[in-house]
């Protein structure tokens, strides 16, 4: 699958990320917490699913054509944003924006 970044990461930024992660691991060890404990805390503090404009555009465009399944799917999803979700939800919503959304007015930039 695609990585977390939309563009290739330059070497200097990669080095900054590595430095940050090393500092984070050192701080974690100093706090006496394990990586598993930190992971568990992050999972209950940060939702897995966050509505994005590209998701809403797809949903309201489909609804305007009388197809409300996507709208219903999103409504169901936002009722439980911290849960893992189904395989379908993970594949559909837990990802980067599709390329078409990055160049569409109103989803990638103000139109």
């Amino acid at each position: 699958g695609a990585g977390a970044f939309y563009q290739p990461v330059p070497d200097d930024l990669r080095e900054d990320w590595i430095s940050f992660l090393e500092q984070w691991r050192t701080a974690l060890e100093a706090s006496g917490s394990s990586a598993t404990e930190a992971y568990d805390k992050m999972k209950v503090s940060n939702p897995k699913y966050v509505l994005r404009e590209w998701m809403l555009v797809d949903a309201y465009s489909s609804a305007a054509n009388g197809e409300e399944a996507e709208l219903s799917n999103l409504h169901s999803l936002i009722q439980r944003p911290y849960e893992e979700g189904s395989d379908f939800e993970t594949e559909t919503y837990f990802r980067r924006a599709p390329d078409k959304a990055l160049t569409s007015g109103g989803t990638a930039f103000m139109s």
Side-chain angles (χ1 to χ4, degrees), residues 6 18 21 23 26 29 39 47 52-54 61 65 68-69 71 75 90 92-93 102-103 105:
Y6 285 91
I18 291 169
L21 291 171
Q23 291 172 24
T26 299
E29 289 170 0
Y39 173 79
R52 302 293 184 200
E53 185 69 17
W54 63 267
S61 295
N65 294 322
E68 297 184 3
L71 194 59
H75 181 262
T90 297
T92 305
Y93 305 115
L102 300 176
T103 58

Side-chain angles (χ1 to χ4, degrees), residues 26-46:
T26 299
L28 186 63
E29 289 170 0
S31 74
S33 294
S34 70
T36 301
E37 290 169 323
Y39 173 79
D40 291 341
K41 287 179 184 178
M42 286 189 281
K43 283 190 62 126
V44 299
S45 301
N46 300 293

